Amino acid sequence: MEAPRLTRAIGAEIIGGDVTNDEDWSEIRLAFIDHAVIIIRAQYISADVHIYFASRWEQINENRFFTPHSDAPNIALVLKEADHT
């Protein structure tokens, strides 16, 4: 797994990491500590896995301002429709 910087000041992209793999957790967490913002692309996960991964960081703060996911009310849907600018 790699975590190259996105900018000189902040951010990294996780490459080769898998949020469903417990062995990747410590490296993902360390990348966040080192870079403050991380991007983990192409993670096709269920709502249950999403909740599990999120809960590893801290207690989940349920968002009251966005529509909850129909299968997992802990997940807020943030959508940009085609007609939104």
Side-chain angles (χ1 to χ4, degrees), residues 2-49:
E2 300 174 54
R5 290 183 171 275
L6 292 173
T7 70
R8 290 189 316 164
I10 192 170
E13 179 177 5
I14 304 295
I15 299 173
D18 181 350
V19 300
T20 66
N21 184 343
D22 288 338
E23 293 177 11
D24 287 352
W25 168 245
S26 61
E27 288 186 65
I28 291 171
R29 185 176 179 279
L30 184 59
F32 177 74
I33 290 168
D34 290 346
H35 303 287
V37 174
I38 55 174
I39 295 171
I40 311 172
R41 299 182 197 273
Q43 302 293 303
Y44 303 100
I45 59 175
S46 68
D48 289 339
V49 171

Side-chain angles (χ1 to χ4, degrees), residues 59-80:
Q59 180 179 346
I60 297 171
N61 179 9
E62 293 185 26
N63 188 309
R64 301 179 319 262
F65 303 103
F66 294 99
T67 304
H69 188 283
S70 61
D71 296 333
N74 300 60
I75 299 173
L77 296 177
V78 181
L79 303 172
K80 181 176 179 183

Side-chain angles (χ1 to χ4, degrees), residues 44-59:
Y44 303 100
I45 59 175
S46 68
D48 289 339
V49 171
H50 185 127
I51 296 298
Y52 173 71
F53 182 73
S55 68
R56 294 187 85 161
W57 297 95
E58 187 63 50
Q59 180 179 346

